[in-house]
Structures are given as C-alpha cells and as structure tokens.
C-alpha cells in the first residue's frame, strides 16, 4: 500500500477524475438532481484510494467547509448559470460569465483545500468503491434513484484509466 505522501493533492486528483470520460455528466446529475456536493465526493474518493476515511470528530471543521461551499461556491455557480442564456443573446456578457466561472473554480479549489486539511482515520480493508459508498452513507441518505449514479461515478473515479485529460474544473 502507498503512503499518503505518494498520493496527488486533492486538487490534482479532482482535475484528473473530473476529466474522465462520463464523469462530468454523472457529477452534474448528482449535483443538480440529487443535491450532492461534488467536491465532497471527490474528497471521499481521494481518501478511499488511500484507505482513509473522514474523522467523525472533525464534524465542526467539515461544517465550516460546507458553509464555504454554500456561501461562496454555490452563489457563484447560480450567477454563472443564470447568465448563460442571457450571454447567448447579448455576447458582450460572455466575458462576465467567464469571470464568474473562474471565480467559481477558485472557490471550488478553496473547498478542496479545506477538505484536504481535515483529519482522517485509517479505514477497514475493503475496495475503494465499497469504502467510498460506506463513507457516503455516513454523510447522508442515498436515494434509491441516486445510488446507481453515485456508484457509477465512484467506479469511474476509483478504477484507474489512463485516457483522461485534465480539465480546469472540478
């Protein structure tokens, strides 16, 4: 087993995993239709590959990270998305939309930095997907219709593929 130092930063991991074929669609489905935080799912997958899990005693720190996401990232995403159709009609607004997109990306990067700094514990020996799903279940209920999408996304992230090209978004 590799040491935690052998793993990429959570940011690097996120860029790689989000760029994998099919990941973006699964992420958007989980985020928009089921209310999952993709940065948090990336963190869970990243930890699972290291056979680690979040420390339950760090609930306050996790709550602070979630507040960042709710107060900073989500409003930027909402503004960017709201501007999309208007920018099609008024192309002069596209640079503003791109600025919001970059701000959203920086807010997501900060979220990942906060998550990466949270304390963790060694996990039971099991596959990365099993560990990630178990960790997700400890975070919130998984709706029946969300489970297959979540499992597919975790499989996409936790099964090594070399044909993914990183994209600058998480």
């Amino acid at each position: 087993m590799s040491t935690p130092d052998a793993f990429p930063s959570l940011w690097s991991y996120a860029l790689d995993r989000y760029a994998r074929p099919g990941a973006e669609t699964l992420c958007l489905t989980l985020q928009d239709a089921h209310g999952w935080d993709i940065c948090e799912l990336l963190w869970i997958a990243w930890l699972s590959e290291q056979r680690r899990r979040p420390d339950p005693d760090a609930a306050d720190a996790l709550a602070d990270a979630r507040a960042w996401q709710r107060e900073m990232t989500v409003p930027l995403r909402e503004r960017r998305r709201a501007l999309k159709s208007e920018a099609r009609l008024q192309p002069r607004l596209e640079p503003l939309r791109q600025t919001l997109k970059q701000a959203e990306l920086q807010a997501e990067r900060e979220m990942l930095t906060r998550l990466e700094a949270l304390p963790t514990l060694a996990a039971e020996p099991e596959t990365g997907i099993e560990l990630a799903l178990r960790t997700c279940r400890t975070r919130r209920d998984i709706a029946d219709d969300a489970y297959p999408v979540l499992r597919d996304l975790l499989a996409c992230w936790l099964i090594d593929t070399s044909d993914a090209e990183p994209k600058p978004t998480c």
Side-chain angles (χ1 to χ4, degrees):
M1 182 187 304
S2 300
T3 63
D5 294 338
F7 285 90
S9 69
L10 181 51
W11 175 248
S12 295
Y13 182 90
L15 291 176
D16 174 74
R17 294 320 191 262
Y18 194 86
R20 289 187 172 190
E24 182 177 6
T25 300
L26 294 167
C27 287
L28 292 175
T29 299
L30 283 168
Q31 177 181 278
D32 296 341
H34 302 287
W36 285 87
D37 182 287
I38 302 308
C39 289
E40 200 167 327
L41 287 175
L42 282 158
W43 173 59
I44 289 168
W46 180 73
L47 290 176
S48 295
E49 283 199 25
Q50 299 172 60
R51 302 302 186 254
R52 312 268 324 144
R53 61 185 176 86
D55 184 341
D57 291 336
D60 289 343
L62 178 57
D64 290 345
R66 285 174 170 167
W68 169 269
Q69 194 75 330
R70 186 177 56 254
E71 295 167 12
M72 297 301 260
T73 310
V74 171
L76 288 166
R77 180 180 303 127
E78 289 169 350
R79 299 287 81 72
R80 175 184 57 81
R81 286 179 169 182
L83 197 55
K84 187 173 184 176
S85 61
E86 193 170 346
R88 283 189 193 126
L89 299 173
Q90 299 180 47
R92 72 178 185 281
L93 296 174
E94 186 56 28
L96 174 58
R97 194 175 92 71
Q98 291 302 316
T99 299
L100 289 171
K101 186 176 184 177
Q102 288 304 309
E104 178 188 354
L105 180 64
Q106 290 304 310
E108 287 175 331
R109 188 172 189 166
E110 175 60 24
M111 174 63 168
L112 293 170
T113 298
R114 290 172 184 225
L115 291 171
E116 185 173 12
L118 294 178
T120 63
L121 301 171
E124 298 296 319
E126 56 191 320
T127 69
I129 293 172
E130 290 169 344
L131 175 57
L133 285 168
R134 187 165 50 85
T135 301
C136 287
R137 282 186 196 99
T138 66
R139 301 271 167 269
R140 61 177 278 187
D141 290 332
I142 303 172
D144 290 343
D145 58 339
Y147 181 83
V149 182
L150 180 60
R151 182 159 177 73
D152 287 350
L153 178 62
L154 292 171
C156 173
W157 285 346
L158 294 168
I159 295 173
D160 191 42
T161 60
S162 60
D163 61 347
E165 289 295 323
K167 273 170 53 167
T169 184
C170 123

